[in-house]
Amino acid sequence: MALTISEKCRNIHPSVTLAIDARAKQLRAMGLDVIGFGAGEPDFDTPRYIKSAARDALDAGMTKYTPVAGTVELRTEIQQKLLRDNGLDYELADIIVSSGAKQCLFNALSAILDPGDEVLLPSPCWVSYPEMVRMAGGVPVMVKGDEANGFLVDADALRPHVTERTKALILNSPNNPSGSVCSRALLEGIAALAVEKQFYVISDEIYEKLIYDGEAHVSIASLGDEIRAQTIVVNGVSKSYAMTGWRIGYAAGPKAVIRAMTAFQSHSTSNPNSIAQHAAAVALTNGEKFMHDSLVEFDARRRLMHQLISEIPGLSAALPKGAFYMMLNISALIGKSLNGRAIRGSDDFAEMLLESQKVAVVPARAFGDDRYVRLSYATSRDKITLGLARIAEFVKELE
């Protein structure tokens, strides 16, 4: 038999966001002054009380295997968090802890999809969603949102895409990359459609604590017993507690789905890191001040970035309601050129900007819309100011 790579892996596209961030770090290592707007993680350090908890775990000898689904300690804290913050009452058996929310998402898709099953993806969406659907044997079905409607996709937009093969919808609010936030009314419509047509909802709520302008996070699972029975809620500690590198995510949902996810995880990665689990359990008992202070700073950065973009001719951006991303509309620049090279879409814009001005942004073609690039404001105000000044200079030089 030929020594080949599997068809599944040959068809996987590497994460564009991680590639951009790696490229920016490589250029910095070469001594170049690169402003990175690509990172999908807070630039704040993990709070001291969480790091202290990790040291305590080491001192207490918490260095052995744990139950595959996570420690009772951590799942109990997650159980209390879901009840306290989201009005969701789950048994411990309905909760699984994984090595990041990304693994929870992949476990969930692997647990529910058969080959050819379709998954609805409101777009623009996170680059990993369609790839994970394909890796689990499913077919991603993109349902495009529009900037005029805050990039939101409602039940009326989803309905024409529902078929007999529709198995799930991945819902992400607050959203990466657009920063949009689903209202209760919009979620009620989607919940009614899911119950009517009998498909799962995988609700990615990793950015739930990062919401601005008086908006409120609503978990679709909280809208009634029927939709809760069809929803897998995914969350984690990465964004809210600046714990991206600790790799702790969790999911809660129907017992049969969580049981299948646990069995799948038992033969792939087994339990998440034992020390990080203890630190995450402690994180969930506190952190309100840290999250408040982080939100205030992110809000200031959000407004600064939006204001600076509005001052650049040919560029625009909607003011996001959540997360820490902004979709920069570059459609007016498509067709313009620099040094004989034309901008044909977001990939060209991102590459030319990085080469010319040493500013890293993420091309939104990977998110489902080639007329945009994504900027992260999870970086300092000084860097936002300098980075946008460089972008303004880049735009000025275009012909």
Side-chain angles (χ1 to χ4, degrees), residues 192-215:
L193 178 65
V195 170
E196 174 192 345
K197 297 296 186 178
Q198 286 295 285
F199 57 79
Y200 287 107
V201 175
I202 300 175
S203 184
D204 183 352
E205 303 180 11
I206 194 71
Y207 296 100
E208 71 162 320
K209 298 297 185 181
L210 300 175
I211 295 185
Y212 317 100
D213 300 335
E215 296 285 333

PDB file of all heavy atoms in Angstrom, residues 192-215:
ATOM      1  N   ALA A 192     -37.023  27.775  18.450  1.00  0.00           N
ATOM      2  CA  ALA A 192     -38.269  27.217  17.915  1.00  0.00           C
ATOM      3  C   ALA A 192     -38.008  26.428  16.633  1.00  0.00           C
ATOM      4  O   ALA A 192     -38.593  25.355  16.422  1.00  0.00           O
ATOM      5  CB  ALA A 192     -39.265  28.343  17.651  1.00  0.00           C
ATOM      6  N   LEU A 193     -37.113  26.938  15.780  1.00  0.00           N
ATOM      7  CA  LEU A 193     -36.783  26.233  14.542  1.00  0.00           C
ATOM      8  C   LEU A 193     -36.072  24.917  14.837  1.00  0.00           C
ATOM      9  O   LEU A 193     -36.383  23.887  14.225  1.00  0.00           O
ATOM     10  CB  LEU A 193     -35.898  27.122  13.662  1.00  0.00           C
ATOM     11  CG  LEU A 193     -35.425  26.509  12.338  1.00  0.00           C
ATOM     12  CD1 LEU A 193     -36.605  26.252  11.407  1.00  0.00           C
ATOM     13  CD2 LEU A 193     -34.391  27.420  11.665  1.00  0.00           C
ATOM     14  N   ALA A 194     -35.135  24.930  15.776  1.00  0.00           N
ATOM     15  CA  ALA A 194     -34.401  23.716  16.123  1.00  0.00           C
ATOM     16  C   ALA A 194     -35.331  22.647  16.676  1.00  0.00           C
ATOM     17  O   ALA A 194     -35.197  21.457  16.347  1.00  0.00           O
ATOM     18  CB  ALA A 194     -33.305  24.044  17.134  1.00  0.00           C
ATOM     19  N   VAL A 195     -36.271  23.052  17.518  1.00  0.00           N
ATOM     20  CA  VAL A 195     -37.224  22.097  18.089  1.00  0.00           C
ATOM     21  C   VAL A 195     -38.155  21.563  17.000  1.00  0.00           C
ATOM     22  O   VAL A 195     -38.431  20.356  16.918  1.00  0.00           O
ATOM     23  CB  VAL A 195     -38.022  22.752  19.226  1.00  0.00           C
ATOM     24  CG1 VAL A 195     -39.173  21.849  19.667  1.00  0.00           C
ATOM     25  CG2 VAL A 195     -37.099  23.056  20.416  1.00  0.00           C
ATOM     26  N   GLU A 196     -38.603  22.452  16.132  1.00  0.00           N
ATOM     27  CA  GLU A 196     -39.496  22.043  15.041  1.00  0.00           C
ATOM     28  C   GLU A 196     -38.816  21.040  14.096  1.00  0.00           C
ATOM     29  O   GLU A 196     -39.387  20.015  13.739  1.00  0.00           O
ATOM     30  CB  GLU A 196     -39.933  23.272  14.245  1.00  0.00           C
ATOM     31  CG  GLU A 196     -40.757  22.946  13.003  1.00  0.00           C
ATOM     32  CD  GLU A 196     -40.927  24.145  12.071  1.00  0.00           C
ATOM     33  OE1 GLU A 196     -40.655  25.288  12.494  1.00  0.00           O
ATOM     34  OE2 GLU A 196     -41.307  23.911  10.902  1.00  0.00           O
ATOM     35  N   LYS A 197     -37.587  21.361  13.710  1.00  0.00           N
ATOM     36  CA  LYS A 197     -36.887  20.544  12.715  1.00  0.00           C
ATOM     37  C   LYS A 197     -35.999  19.472  13.346  1.00  0.00           C
ATOM     38  O   LYS A 197     -35.406  18.665  12.633  1.00  0.00           O
ATOM     39  CB  LYS A 197     -36.031  21.449  11.825  1.00  0.00           C
ATOM     40  CG  LYS A 197     -36.835  22.453  11.012  1.00  0.00           C
ATOM     41  CD  LYS A 197     -37.751  21.749  10.015  1.00  0.00           C
ATOM     42  CE  LYS A 197     -38.448  22.742   9.109  1.00  0.00           C
ATOM     43  NZ  LYS A 197     -39.317  22.053   8.105  1.00  0.00           N
ATOM     44  N   GLN A 198     -35.892  19.464  14.662  1.00  0.00           N
ATOM     45  CA  GLN A 198     -35.164  18.443  15.411  1.00  0.00           C
ATOM     46  C   GLN A 198     -33.691  18.345  15.007  1.00  0.00           C
ATOM     47  O   GLN A 198     -33.230  17.332  14.471  1.00  0.00           O
ATOM     48  CB  GLN A 198     -35.846  17.086  15.273  1.00  0.00           C
ATOM     49  CG  GLN A 198     -37.133  16.959  16.087  1.00  0.00           C
ATOM     50  CD  GLN A 198     -36.861  17.025  17.600  1.00  0.00           C
ATOM     51  OE1 GLN A 198     -36.367  16.073  18.181  1.00  0.00           O
ATOM     52  NE2 GLN A 198     -37.191  18.147  18.218  1.00  0.00           N
ATOM     53  N   PHE A 199     -32.958  19.414  15.278  1.00  0.00           N
ATOM     54  CA  PHE A 199     -31.499  19.358  15.156  1.00  0.00           C
ATOM     55  C   PHE A 199     -30.870  19.919  16.424  1.00  0.00           C
ATOM     56  O   PHE A 199     -31.488  20.696  17.163  1.00  0.00           O
ATOM     57  CB  PHE A 199     -30.995  20.095  13.906  1.00  0.00           C
ATOM     58  CG  PHE A 199     -31.392  21.549  13.789  1.00  0.00           C
ATOM     59  CD1 PHE A 199     -30.727  22.547  14.492  1.00  0.00           C
ATOM     60  CD2 PHE A 199     -32.416  21.930  12.927  1.00  0.00           C
ATOM     61  CE1 PHE A 199     -31.070  23.883  14.366  1.00  0.00           C
ATOM     62  CE2 PHE A 199     -32.769  23.265  12.785  1.00  0.00           C
ATOM     63  CZ  PHE A 199     -32.102  24.248  13.507  1.00  0.00           C
ATOM     64  N   TYR A 200     -29.648  19.486  16.679  1.00  0.00           N
ATOM     65  CA  TYR A 200     -28.906  19.955  17.848  1.00  0.00           C
ATOM     66  C   TYR A 200     -28.448  21.402  17.653  1.00  0.00           C
ATOM     67  O   TYR A 200     -28.233  21.861  16.530  1.00  0.00           O
ATOM     68  CB  TYR A 200     -27.651  19.107  18.084  1.00  0.00           C
ATOM     69  CG  TYR A 200     -27.887  17.722  18.613  1.00  0.00           C
ATOM     70  CD1 TYR A 200     -27.718  16.601  17.795  1.00  0.00           C
ATOM     71  CD2 TYR A 200     -28.227  17.517  19.947  1.00  0.00           C
ATOM     72  CE1 TYR A 200     -27.901  15.323  18.284  1.00  0.00           C
ATOM     73  CE2 TYR A 200     -28.410  16.240  20.446  1.00  0.00           C
ATOM     74  CZ  TYR A 200     -28.257  15.142  19.610  1.00  0.00           C
ATOM     75  OH  TYR A 200     -28.429  13.870  20.103  1.00  0.00           O
ATOM     76  N   VAL A 201     -28.257  22.091  18.784  1.00  0.00           N
ATOM     77  CA  VAL A 201     -27.588  23.387  18.784  1.00  0.00           C
ATOM     78  C   VAL A 201     -26.338  23.247  19.648  1.00  0.00           C
ATOM     79  O   VAL A 201     -26.419  22.851  20.812  1.00  0.00           O
ATOM     80  CB  VAL A 201     -28.478  24.506  19.355  1.00  0.00           C
ATOM     81  CG1 VAL A 201     -27.691  25.820  19.445  1.00  0.00           C
ATOM     82  CG2 VAL A 201     -29.709  24.704  18.479  1.00  0.00           C
ATOM     83  N   ILE A 202     -25.186  23.512  19.051  1.00  0.00           N
ATOM     84  CA  ILE A 202     -23.941  23.587  19.815  1.00  0.00           C
ATOM     85  C   ILE A 202     -23.693  25.065  20.074  1.00  0.00           C
ATOM     86  O   ILE A 202     -23.411  25.831  19.143  1.00  0.00           O
ATOM     87  CB  ILE A 202     -22.766  22.955  19.048  1.00  0.00           C
ATOM     88  CG1 ILE A 202     -23.065  21.478  18.757  1.00  0.00           C
ATOM     89  CG2 ILE A 202     -21.473  23.099  19.838  1.00  0.00           C
ATOM     90  CD1 ILE A 202     -22.010  20.799  17.903  1.00  0.00           C
ATOM     91  N   SER A 203     -23.850  25.476  21.319  1.00  0.00           N
ATOM     92  CA  SER A 203     -23.788  26.892  21.681  1.00  0.00           C
ATOM     93  C   SER A 203     -22.430  27.221  22.282  1.00  0.00           C
ATOM     94  O   SER A 203     -22.145  26.893  23.431  1.00  0.00           O
ATOM     95  CB  SER A 203     -24.907  27.231  22.677  1.00  0.00           C
ATOM     96  OG  SER A 203     -24.922  28.612  22.966  1.00  0.00           O
ATOM     97  N   ASP A 204     -21.591  27.866  21.480  1.00  0.00           N
ATOM     98  CA  ASP A 204     -20.240  28.244  21.902  1.00  0.00           C
ATOM     99  C   ASP A 204     -20.320  29.591  22.611  1.00  0.00           C
ATOM    100  O   ASP A 204     -20.488  30.635  21.969  1.00  0.00           O
ATOM    101  CB  ASP A 204     -19.327  28.311  20.675  1.00  0.00           C
ATOM    102  CG  ASP A 204     -17.883  28.637  21.026  1.00  0.00           C
ATOM    103  OD1 ASP A 204     -17.597  28.965  22.188  1.00  0.00           O
ATOM    104  OD2 ASP A 204     -17.030  28.585  20.116  1.00  0.00           O
ATOM    105  N   GLU A 205     -20.171  29.560  23.935  1.00  0.00           N
ATOM    106  CA  GLU A 205     -20.381  30.759  24.752  1.00  0.00           C
ATOM    107  C   GLU A 205     -19.094  31.228  25.424  1.00  0.00           C
ATOM    108  O   GLU A 205     -19.117  31.850  26.488  1.00  0.00           O
ATOM    109  CB  GLU A 205     -21.484  30.466  25.780  1.00  0.00           C
ATOM    110  CG  GLU A 205     -22.779  30.017  25.114  1.00  0.00           C
ATOM    111  CD  GLU A 205     -23.923  29.704  26.084  1.00  0.00           C
ATOM    112  OE1 GLU A 205     -23.796  30.037  27.281  1.00  0.00           O
ATOM    113  OE2 GLU A 205     -24.934  29.133  25.626  1.00  0.00           O
ATOM    114  N   ILE A 206     -17.952  30.971  24.770  1.00  0.00           N
ATOM    115  CA  ILE A 206     -16.653  31.239  25.369  1.00  0.00           C
ATOM    116  C   ILE A 206     -16.431  32.723  25.660  1.00  0.00           C
ATOM    117  O   ILE A 206     -15.657  33.088  26.552  1.00  0.00           O
ATOM    118  CB  ILE A 206     -15.520  30.684  24.459  1.00  0.00           C
ATOM    119  CG1 ILE A 206     -14.179  30.635  25.197  1.00  0.00           C
ATOM    120  CG2 ILE A 206     -15.426  31.476  23.175  1.00  0.00           C
ATOM    121  CD1 ILE A 206     -14.088  29.601  26.258  1.00  0.00           C
ATOM    122  N   TYR A 207     -17.114  33.617  24.936  1.00  0.00           N
ATOM    123  CA  TYR A 207     -16.923  35.064  25.135  1.00  0.00           C
ATOM    124  C   TYR A 207     -18.041  35.691  25.962  1.00  0.00           C
ATOM    125  O   TYR A 207     -18.227  36.907  25.933  1.00  0.00           O
ATOM    126  CB  TYR A 207     -16.840  35.771  23.777  1.00  0.00           C
ATOM    127  CG  TYR A 207     -15.646  35.367  22.943  1.00  0.00           C
ATOM    128  CD1 TYR A 207     -15.779  34.430  21.915  1.00  0.00           C
ATOM    129  CD2 TYR A 207     -14.382  35.901  23.181  1.00  0.00           C
ATOM    130  CE1 TYR A 207     -14.686  34.048  21.148  1.00  0.00           C
ATOM    131  CE2 TYR A 207     -13.286  35.521  22.425  1.00  0.00           C
ATOM    132  CZ  TYR A 207     -13.440  34.598  21.405  1.00  0.00           C
ATOM    133  OH  TYR A 207     -12.352  34.225  20.647  1.00  0.00           O
ATOM    134  N   GLU A 208     -18.790  34.905  26.698  1.00  0.00           N
ATOM    135  CA  GLU A 208     -20.000  35.410  27.347  1.00  0.00           C
ATOM    136  C   GLU A 208     -19.755  36.574  28.304  1.00  0.00           C
ATOM    137  O   GLU A 208     -20.638  37.408  28.506  1.00  0.00           O
ATOM    138  CB  GLU A 208     -20.723  34.284  28.098  1.00  0.00           C
ATOM    139  CG  GLU A 208     -20.012  33.798  29.343  1.00  0.00           C
ATOM    140  CD  GLU A 208     -20.943  33.018  30.278  1.00  0.00           C
ATOM    141  OE1 GLU A 208     -22.098  33.410  30.443  1.00  0.00           O
ATOM    142  OE2 GLU A 208     -20.479  32.026  30.850  1.00  0.00           O
ATOM    143  N   LYS A 209     -18.583  36.660  28.912  1.00  0.00           N
ATOM    144  CA  LYS A 209     -18.314  37.722  29.878  1.00  0.00           C
ATOM    145  C   LYS A 209     -17.857  39.019  29.210  1.00  0.00           C
ATOM    146  O   LYS A 209     -17.731  40.038  29.885  1.00  0.00           O
ATOM    147  CB  LYS A 209     -17.240  37.265  30.875  1.00  0.00           C
ATOM    148  CG  LYS A 209     -17.632  36.060  31.709  1.00  0.00           C
ATOM    149  CD  LYS A 209     -18.827  36.352  32.600  1.00  0.00           C
ATOM    150  CE  LYS A 209     -19.137  35.176  33.519  1.00  0.00           C
ATOM    151  NZ  LYS A 209     -20.308  35.427  34.383  1.00  0.00           N
ATOM    152  N   LEU A 210     -17.611  38.979  27.893  1.00  0.00           N
ATOM    153  CA  LEU A 210     -17.086  40.149  27.196  1.00  0.00           C
ATOM    154  C   LEU A 210     -18.184  40.773  26.347  1.00  0.00           C
ATOM    155  O   LEU A 210     -18.281  40.573  25.133  1.00  0.00           O
ATOM    156  CB  LEU A 210     -15.888  39.748  26.330  1.00  0.00           C
ATOM    157  CG  LEU A 210     -14.712  39.138  27.103  1.00  0.00           C
ATOM    158  CD1 LEU A 210     -13.636  38.658  26.146  1.00  0.00           C
ATOM    159  CD2 LEU A 210     -14.141  40.124  28.105  1.00  0.00           C
ATOM    160  N   ILE A 211     -19.047  41.563  27.007  1.00  0.00           N
ATOM    161  CA  ILE A 211     -20.190  42.189  26.348  1.00  0.00           C
ATOM    162  C   ILE A 211     -20.271  43.651  26.776  1.00  0.00           C
ATOM    163  O   ILE A 211     -20.044  43.977  27.947  1.00  0.00           O
ATOM    164  CB  ILE A 211     -21.502  41.450  26.690  1.00  0.00           C
ATOM    165  CG1 ILE A 211     -21.469  40.027  26.122  1.00  0.00           C
ATOM    166  CG2 ILE A 211     -22.703  42.188  26.156  1.00  0.00           C
ATOM    167  CD1 ILE A 211     -22.756  39.256  26.297  1.00  0.00           C
ATOM    168  N   TYR A 212     -20.632  44.521  25.819  1.00  0.00           N
ATOM    169  CA  TYR A 212     -20.598  45.968  26.051  1.00  0.00           C
ATOM    170  C   TYR A 212     -21.968  46.608  25.790  1.00  0.00           C
ATOM    171  O   TYR A 212     -22.893  45.968  25.307  1.00  0.00           O
ATOM    172  CB  TYR A 212     -19.557  46.610  25.127  1.00  0.00           C
ATOM    173  CG  TYR A 212     -18.270  45.832  25.023  1.00  0.00           C
ATOM    174  CD1 TYR A 212     -18.026  44.994  23.934  1.00  0.00           C
ATOM    175  CD2 TYR A 212     -17.305  45.899  26.021  1.00  0.00           C
ATOM    176  CE1 TYR A 212     -16.844  44.257  23.840  1.00  0.00           C
ATOM    177  CE2 TYR A 212     -16.123  45.171  25.935  1.00  0.00           C
ATOM    178  CZ  TYR A 212     -15.900  44.349  24.838  1.00  0.00           C
ATOM    179  OH  TYR A 212     -14.740  43.622  24.748  1.00  0.00           O
ATOM    180  N   ASP A 213     -22.024  47.894  26.129  1.00  0.00           N
ATOM    181  CA  ASP A 213     -23.170  48.750  25.803  1.00  0.00           C
ATOM    182  C   ASP A 213     -24.486  48.242  26.382  1.00  0.00           C
ATOM    183  O   ASP A 213     -25.551  48.406  25.784  1.00  0.00           O
ATOM    184  CB  ASP A 213     -23.317  48.907  24.283  1.00  0.00           C
ATOM    185  CG  ASP A 213     -22.090  49.536  23.638  1.00  0.00           C
ATOM    186  OD1 ASP A 213     -21.364  50.268  24.345  1.00  0.00           O
ATOM    187  OD2 ASP A 213     -21.848  49.305  22.437  1.00  0.00           O
ATOM    188  N   GLY A 214     -24.409  47.612  27.537  1.00  0.00           N
ATOM    189  CA  GLY A 214     -25.646  47.180  28.188  1.00  0.00           C
ATOM    190  C   GLY A 214     -26.266  45.926  27.612  1.00  0.00           C
ATOM    191  O   GLY A 214     -27.358  45.522  28.046  1.00  0.00           O
ATOM    192  N   GLU A 215     -25.599  45.291  26.636  1.00  0.00           N
ATOM    193  CA  GLU A 215     -26.115  44.034  26.097  1.00  0.00           C
ATOM    194  C   GLU A 215     -26.013  42.938  27.163  1.00  0.00           C
ATOM    195  O   GLU A 215     -25.205  43.038  28.092  1.00  0.00           O
ATOM    196  CB  GLU A 215     -25.310  43.612  24.861  1.00  0.00           C
ATOM    197  CG  GLU A 215     -25.419  44.570  23.688  1.00  0.00           C
ATOM    198  CD  GLU A 215     -26.742  44.463  22.970  1.00  0.00           C
ATOM    199  OE1 GLU A 215     -27.369  43.380  23.012  1.00  0.00           O
ATOM    200  OE2 GLU A 215     -27.167  45.468  22.367  1.00  0.00           O
TER     201      GLU A 215
END
